[in-house]
Amino acid sequence: MGLLKWSKRPAAGVDANTPGGNVVRGLVARATTPLLPDDYLHLLNPLWTARELRGKVLDVVKETEDTATVTIRTGWGFPAAYKPGQYVGIGLQVDGRWRWRSYSLTSISSAEKKTIAITVKANPDGFLSTHLVDGVTPATIIRLAAPRGDFHLPEPIPGKILFVTAGSGITPVIAMLRSLAARGQQADICHVHSAPTRDDVIFLDEMEALAHSTPGYTLKLQLTREMGKFTVCRLDEWVPDWRERDCWACGPPRLLDAMESHYERGGLRERLHVERFSIARTDHGGEGGTVRFALSDKKAEIDGATTLLEAGEKLGINMPFGCRMGICQTCVLPLAGGYVRDLRTGEERREGERIQTCISSVSGECTLDI
Ligand SMILES: Cc1cc2nc3c(=O)[nH]c(=O)nc-3n(C[C@H](O)[C@H](O)[C@H](O)COP(=O)(O)OP(=O)(O)OC[C@H]3O[C@@H](n4cnc5c(N)ncnc54)[C@H](O)[C@@H]3O)c2cc1C
Ligand code: FES
């Protein structure tokens, strides 16, 4: 085999997007066998690792008082193509523990750009969002989970679109608007967005500029402090032809619940696409207890509010996950023994069932096959 061909062959366990990447990784892999190239490469640059997706925080720019856009340089293996509206997993090490959350991408994909952006609203009761908005410093190395999610526009894009967003729910939709503008695609878009005041509207200047320059885009702001909350009954008044539009909605659970009921009642549920950032938890969580991770030979005592996913991660087990909200099914594992409780519904699940570890906690004791 010629030297060039040999060097371009992907090294075992190493996945590079480009032949150029394979040359470097392949040469290093073969020069360093039996040790993995990662052992050497990530000493040179923490983003050069094939074992996991990584990123480096480039900057954090405030959008409003409590939101900021975090720009991240992506490392090897991060997919160059993703759809506007999709989200990524962000893993940050805080107090020695990796904490994971999902964030919609506010950047749009481009083959040349090796950066992505997320826009985070600090939740004063939450853990990671305040850290991302106010605490994370440029050059921090983070872990990433590949973009995923079904909340994106179809191809070809519909001629008439309705966006209903509130607060930080603007994030997946701004990516769609940016993508449409970048590709010069025209659609008749009506966008209803709610926020307490103008100062709280994330991307206000950008959306107003778009409304000014793009004949097909109409922005209707509901400033809730002076106008009250947006209610779905206002759709008839604000968007008389809403029934003819495909709708993408993202905001607090109460707004999305109301939207779903409204579309259901109108027999138009298939026209509505919803992205939820949080799940409603029931008060009847699991009692807590012992969770065993059979294949990893580890166990933990957890309370009834801690999820099996969190428990496994705390023990350093490589738990599968996506949305961490009970939506995507990526975290599903077989329940090899015992009982768990679904934190959304309070329902108990037993041995033999397949369970979503991100929204389940232990009830007494349980064993997972991982
Ligand atoms: C698909 C998707 C996309 C998202 N995109 C964005 C985005 O673009 N921008 C954005 O700002 N956010 C987004 N989110 C939300 C984000 O992932 C985080 O949930 C959010 O930032 C809060 O994280 P946190 O660590 O600050 O809060 P957490 O510590 O996770 O807490 C969140 C809330 O839950 C409560 N809580 C936590 N644990 C428990 C418990 N055990 N029992 C009861 N209540 C509890 C807390 O009190 C708090 O009110 C998205 C979520 C999903 C699923
Ligand atoms: S991680 Fe998506 S359903 Fe559990």
Side-chain angles (χ1 to χ4, degrees), residues 9-40:
R9 199 159 42 91
V14 176
D15 173 31
N17 288 332
T18 58
N22 275 338
V23 172
V24 179
R25 292 165 129 192
L27 286 172
V28 176
R30 285 162 195 96
T32 59
T33 301
L35 290 178
L36 280 170
D38 265 15
D39 299 332
Y40 295 90

mmCIF file of all heavy atoms in Angstrom, residues 9-40:
data_model
loop_
_atom_site.group_PDB
_atom_site.id
_atom_site.type_symbol
_atom_site.label_atom_id
_atom_site.label_comp_id
_atom_site.label_asym_id
_atom_site.label_seq_id
_atom_site.Cartn_x
_atom_site.Cartn_y
_atom_site.Cartn_z
ATOM 1 N N ARG A 9 -5.926 5.998 5.561
ATOM 2 C CA ARG A 9 -6.860 5.011 6.080
ATOM 3 C C ARG A 9 -7.218 5.390 7.518
ATOM 4 O O ARG A 9 -6.327 5.713 8.309
ATOM 5 C CB ARG A 9 -6.184 3.635 6.053
ATOM 6 C CG ARG A 9 -7.126 2.461 6.132
ATOM 7 C CD ARG A 9 -6.427 1.217 5.570
ATOM 8 N NE ARG A 9 -5.039 1.097 5.984
ATOM 9 C CZ ARG A 9 -4.648 0.423 7.085
ATOM 10 N NH1 ARG A 9 -5.520 -0.163 7.844
ATOM 11 N NH2 ARG A 9 -3.368 0.351 7.385
ATOM 12 N N PRO A 10 -8.539 5.403 7.866
ATOM 13 C CA PRO A 10 -8.848 5.800 9.237
ATOM 14 C C PRO A 10 -8.201 4.860 10.236
ATOM 15 O O PRO A 10 -8.209 3.645 10.035
ATOM 16 C CB PRO A 10 -10.375 5.692 9.311
ATOM 17 C CG PRO A 10 -10.845 5.611 7.905
ATOM 18 C CD PRO A 10 -9.727 5.040 7.109
ATOM 19 N N ALA A 11 -7.595 5.410 11.274
ATOM 20 C CA ALA A 11 -7.011 4.583 12.329
ATOM 21 C C ALA A 11 -8.130 3.932 13.120
ATOM 22 O O ALA A 11 -9.220 4.463 13.223
ATOM 23 C CB ALA A 11 -6.160 5.453 13.242
ATOM 24 N N ALA A 12 -7.857 2.754 13.693
ATOM 25 C CA ALA A 12 -8.883 2.043 14.453
ATOM 26 C C ALA A 12 -9.406 2.912 15.580
ATOM 27 O O ALA A 12 -8.633 3.533 16.300
ATOM 28 C CB ALA A 12 -8.283 0.762 15.033
ATOM 29 N N GLY A 13 -10.705 2.973 15.682
ATOM 30 C CA GLY A 13 -11.325 3.734 16.770
ATOM 31 C C GLY A 13 -11.237 5.233 16.595
ATOM 32 O O GLY A 13 -11.560 6.011 17.462
ATOM 33 N N VAL A 14 -10.767 5.653 15.429
ATOM 34 C CA VAL A 14 -10.631 7.090 15.187
ATOM 35 C C VAL A 14 -11.503 7.467 14.014
ATOM 36 O O VAL A 14 -11.414 6.878 12.953
ATOM 37 C CB VAL A 14 -9.159 7.463 14.863
ATOM 38 C CG1 VAL A 14 -9.052 8.923 14.517
ATOM 39 C CG2 VAL A 14 -8.266 7.116 16.027
ATOM 40 N N ASP A 15 -12.379 8.458 14.234
ATOM 41 C CA ASP A 15 -13.326 8.830 13.203
ATOM 42 C C ASP A 15 -13.065 10.272 12.806
ATOM 43 O O ASP A 15 -13.262 11.178 13.582
ATOM 44 C CB ASP A 15 -14.738 8.677 13.785
ATOM 45 C CG ASP A 15 -15.800 9.202 12.850
ATOM 46 O OD1 ASP A 15 -15.573 9.119 11.648
ATOM 47 O OD2 ASP A 15 -16.841 9.680 13.352
ATOM 48 N N ALA A 16 -12.534 10.492 11.609
ATOM 49 C CA ALA A 16 -12.281 11.862 11.166
ATOM 50 C C ALA A 16 -13.184 12.185 10.000
ATOM 51 O O ALA A 16 -13.563 11.318 9.233
ATOM 52 C CB ALA A 16 -10.836 12.013 10.740
ATOM 53 N N ASN A 17 -13.550 13.461 9.880
ATOM 54 C CA ASN A 17 -14.482 13.861 8.821
ATOM 55 C C ASN A 17 -13.798 14.014 7.481
ATOM 56 O O ASN A 17 -14.416 13.932 6.441
ATOM 57 C CB ASN A 17 -15.123 15.214 9.179
ATOM 58 C CG ASN A 17 -16.101 15.042 10.301
ATOM 59 O OD1 ASN A 17 -16.667 13.965 10.461
ATOM 60 N ND2 ASN A 17 -16.279 16.084 11.082
ATOM 61 N N THR A 18 -12.519 14.313 7.505
ATOM 62 C CA THR A 18 -11.843 14.636 6.257
ATOM 63 C C THR A 18 -10.643 13.718 6.071
ATOM 64 O O THR A 18 -10.038 13.280 7.046
ATOM 65 C CB THR A 18 -11.320 16.088 6.303
ATOM 66 O OG1 THR A 18 -10.457 16.178 7.432
ATOM 67 C CG2 THR A 18 -12.443 17.100 6.438
ATOM 68 N N PRO A 19 -10.267 13.444 4.788
ATOM 69 C CA PRO A 19 -9.062 12.657 4.567
ATOM 70 C C PRO A 19 -7.860 13.324 5.209
ATOM 71 O O PRO A 19 -6.990 12.659 5.761
ATOM 72 C CB PRO A 19 -8.918 12.632 3.044
ATOM 73 C CG PRO A 19 -10.256 13.021 2.502
ATOM 74 C CD PRO A 19 -10.940 13.842 3.550
ATOM 75 N N GLY A 20 -7.826 14.673 5.198
ATOM 76 C CA GLY A 20 -6.715 15.401 5.820
ATOM 77 C C GLY A 20 -6.614 15.063 7.291
ATOM 78 O O GLY A 20 -5.534 14.815 7.819
ATOM 79 N N GLY A 21 -7.780 15.049 7.935
ATOM 80 C CA GLY A 21 -7.809 14.707 9.368
ATOM 81 C C GLY A 21 -7.314 13.303 9.569
ATOM 82 O O GLY A 21 -6.560 13.001 10.497
ATOM 83 N N ASN A 22 -7.688 12.396 8.630
ATOM 84 C CA ASN A 22 -7.250 11.006 8.761
ATOM 85 C C ASN A 22 -5.752 10.871 8.593
ATOM 86 O O ASN A 22 -5.128 9.999 9.198
ATOM 87 C CB ASN A 22 -7.955 10.128 7.720
ATOM 88 C CG ASN A 22 -9.316 9.685 8.235
ATOM 89 O OD1 ASN A 22 -9.545 9.683 9.429
ATOM 90 N ND2 ASN A 22 -10.195 9.333 7.321
ATOM 91 N N VAL A 23 -5.172 11.718 7.705
ATOM 92 C CA VAL A 23 -3.717 11.636 7.511
ATOM 93 C C VAL A 23 -3.030 11.861 8.841
ATOM 94 O O VAL A 23 -2.235 11.046 9.303
ATOM 95 C CB VAL A 23 -3.243 12.689 6.473
ATOM 96 C CG1 VAL A 23 -1.728 12.730 6.443
ATOM 97 C CG2 VAL A 23 -3.798 12.369 5.100
ATOM 98 N N VAL A 24 -3.392 12.983 9.495
ATOM 99 C CA VAL A 24 -2.734 13.318 10.765
ATOM 100 C C VAL A 24 -3.009 12.241 11.791
ATOM 101 O O VAL A 24 -2.106 11.700 12.425
ATOM 102 C CB VAL A 24 -3.251 14.689 11.273
ATOM 103 C CG1 VAL A 24 -2.585 15.018 12.607
ATOM 104 C CG2 VAL A 24 -2.969 15.765 10.249
ATOM 105 N N ARG A 25 -4.302 11.885 11.930
ATOM 106 C CA ARG A 25 -4.659 10.925 12.974
ATOM 107 C C ARG A 25 -4.100 9.543 12.665
ATOM 108 O O ARG A 25 -3.637 8.836 13.550
ATOM 109 C CB ARG A 25 -6.173 10.848 13.103
ATOM 110 C CG ARG A 25 -6.734 12.126 13.642
ATOM 111 C CD ARG A 25 -8.201 12.149 13.412
ATOM 112 N NE ARG A 25 -8.895 12.462 14.645
ATOM 113 C CZ ARG A 25 -10.181 12.341 14.802
ATOM 114 N NH1 ARG A 25 -10.913 11.856 13.845
ATOM 115 N NH2 ARG A 25 -10.757 12.668 15.914
ATOM 116 N N GLY A 26 -4.139 9.173 11.387
ATOM 117 C CA GLY A 26 -3.641 7.868 10.992
ATOM 118 C C GLY A 26 -2.158 7.748 11.256
ATOM 119 O O GLY A 26 -1.697 6.767 11.835
ATOM 120 N N LEU A 27 -1.396 8.777 10.871
ATOM 121 C CA LEU A 27 0.042 8.731 11.086
ATOM 122 C C LEU A 27 0.360 8.659 12.568
ATOM 123 O O LEU A 27 1.185 7.851 13.001
ATOM 124 C CB LEU A 27 0.706 9.983 10.477
ATOM 125 C CG LEU A 27 0.800 9.989 8.944
ATOM 126 C CD1 LEU A 27 1.288 11.350 8.453
ATOM 127 C CD2 LEU A 27 1.716 8.883 8.444
ATOM 128 N N VAL A 28 -0.355 9.496 13.352
ATOM 129 C CA VAL A 28 -0.073 9.507 14.785
ATOM 130 C C VAL A 28 -0.462 8.175 15.398
ATOM 131 O O VAL A 28 0.260 7.612 16.215
ATOM 132 C CB VAL A 28 -0.805 10.676 15.480
ATOM 133 C CG1 VAL A 28 -0.584 10.607 16.987
ATOM 134 C CG2 VAL A 28 -0.301 11.992 14.943
ATOM 135 N N ALA A 29 -1.625 7.632 14.942
ATOM 136 C CA ALA A 29 -2.084 6.360 15.517
ATOM 137 C C ALA A 29 -1.056 5.276 15.281
ATOM 138 O O ALA A 29 -0.721 4.509 16.181
ATOM 139 C CB ALA A 29 -3.418 5.950 14.897
ATOM 140 N N ARG A 30 -0.536 5.230 14.028
ATOM 141 C CA ARG A 30 0.404 4.147 13.727
ATOM 142 C C ARG A 30 1.758 4.382 14.393
ATOM 143 O O ARG A 30 2.420 3.451 14.809
ATOM 144 C CB ARG A 30 0.525 4.000 12.217
ATOM 145 C CG ARG A 30 -0.722 3.317 11.694
ATOM 146 C CD ARG A 30 -0.953 3.462 10.211
ATOM 147 N NE ARG A 30 -2.325 3.078 9.942
ATOM 148 C CZ ARG A 30 -3.334 3.918 9.847
ATOM 149 N NH1 ARG A 30 -3.131 5.207 9.948
ATOM 150 N NH2 ARG A 30 -4.559 3.491 9.648
ATOM 151 N N ALA A 31 2.140 5.660 14.514
ATOM 152 C CA ALA A 31 3.421 5.952 15.148
ATOM 153 C C ALA A 31 3.366 5.687 16.644
ATOM 154 O O ALA A 31 4.382 5.478 17.280
ATOM 155 C CB ALA A 31 3.794 7.412 14.905
ATOM 156 N N THR A 32 2.167 5.706 17.239
ATOM 157 C CA THR A 32 2.078 5.609 18.689
ATOM 158 C C THR A 32 1.548 4.270 19.159
ATOM 159 O O THR A 32 1.447 4.043 20.347
ATOM 160 C CB THR A 32 1.162 6.712 19.248
ATOM 161 O OG1 THR A 32 -0.121 6.555 18.664
ATOM 162 C CG2 THR A 32 1.706 8.082 18.965
ATOM 163 N N THR A 33 1.207 3.360 18.214
ATOM 164 C CA THR A 33 0.688 2.062 18.629
ATOM 165 C C THR A 33 1.703 1.394 19.566
ATOM 166 O O THR A 33 2.888 1.496 19.326
ATOM 167 C CB THR A 33 0.475 1.187 17.373
ATOM 168 O OG1 THR A 33 -0.435 1.895 16.537
ATOM 169 C CG2 THR A 33 -0.116 -0.161 17.713
ATOM 170 N N PRO A 34 1.348 0.716 20.684
ATOM 171 C CA PRO A 34 0.002 0.319 21.012
ATOM 172 C C PRO A 34 -0.819 1.373 21.761
ATOM 173 O O PRO A 34 -1.974 1.110 22.061
ATOM 174 C CB PRO A 34 0.220 -0.912 21.894
ATOM 175 C CG PRO A 34 1.497 -0.607 22.610
ATOM 176 C CD PRO A 34 2.323 0.181 21.644
ATOM 177 N N LEU A 35 -0.237 2.531 22.114
ATOM 178 C CA LEU A 35 -1.065 3.522 22.798
ATOM 179 C C LEU A 35 -1.963 4.216 21.787
ATOM 180 O O LEU A 35 -1.609 4.345 20.617
ATOM 181 C CB LEU A 35 -0.179 4.566 23.486
ATOM 182 C CG LEU A 35 0.597 4.067 24.699
ATOM 183 C CD1 LEU A 35 1.457 5.199 25.248
ATOM 184 C CD2 LEU A 35 -0.364 3.569 25.775
ATOM 185 N N LEU A 36 -3.145 4.663 22.230
ATOM 186 C CA LEU A 36 -4.049 5.367 21.316
ATOM 187 C C LEU A 36 -3.520 6.766 21.031
ATOM 188 O O LEU A 36 -2.887 7.377 21.909
ATOM 189 C CB LEU A 36 -5.446 5.476 21.942
ATOM 190 C CG LEU A 36 -6.298 4.227 21.845
ATOM 191 C CD1 LEU A 36 -7.536 4.380 22.705
ATOM 192 C CD2 LEU A 36 -6.698 3.968 20.399
ATOM 193 N N PRO A 37 -3.768 7.278 19.822
ATOM 194 C CA PRO A 37 -3.279 8.619 19.502
ATOM 195 C C PRO A 37 -3.828 9.668 20.457
ATOM 196 O O PRO A 37 -3.170 10.665 20.729
ATOM 197 C CB PRO A 37 -3.803 8.858 18.080
ATOM 198 C CG PRO A 37 -4.847 7.816 17.842
ATOM 199 C CD PRO A 37 -4.474 6.662 18.701
ATOM 200 N N ASP A 38 -5.032 9.424 20.967
ATOM 201 C CA ASP A 38 -5.617 10.390 21.891
ATOM 202 C C ASP A 38 -4.701 10.686 23.067
ATOM 203 O O ASP A 38 -4.628 11.805 23.555
ATOM 204 C CB ASP A 38 -6.923 9.835 22.470
ATOM 205 C CG ASP A 38 -8.105 10.331 21.677
ATOM 206 O OD1 ASP A 38 -7.864 10.830 20.571
ATOM 207 O OD2 ASP A 38 -9.219 10.219 22.172
ATOM 208 N N ASP A 39 -3.999 9.650 23.533
ATOM 209 C CA ASP A 39 -3.175 9.816 24.719
ATOM 210 C C ASP A 39 -2.120 10.897 24.488
ATOM 211 O O ASP A 39 -1.705 11.588 25.406
ATOM 212 C CB ASP A 39 -2.498 8.487 25.080
ATOM 213 C CG ASP A 39 -3.541 7.427 25.389
ATOM 214 O OD1 ASP A 39 -4.644 7.820 25.836
ATOM 215 O OD2 ASP A 39 -3.285 6.234 25.154
ATOM 216 N N TYR A 40 -1.681 11.014 23.226
ATOM 217 C CA TYR A 40 -0.670 12.017 22.917
ATOM 218 C C TYR A 40 -1.313 13.316 22.426
ATOM 219 O O TYR A 40 -0.925 14.391 22.839
ATOM 220 C CB TYR A 40 0.271 11.491 21.833
ATOM 221 C CG TYR A 40 1.054 10.300 22.321
ATOM 222 C CD1 TYR A 40 0.563 9.021 22.157
ATOM 223 C CD2 TYR A 40 2.269 10.474 22.982
ATOM 224 C CE1 TYR A 40 1.259 7.931 22.631
ATOM 225 C CE2 TYR A 40 2.980 9.388 23.462
ATOM 226 C CZ TYR A 40 2.467 8.107 23.279
ATOM 227 O OH TYR A 40 3.151 7.043 23.762
#
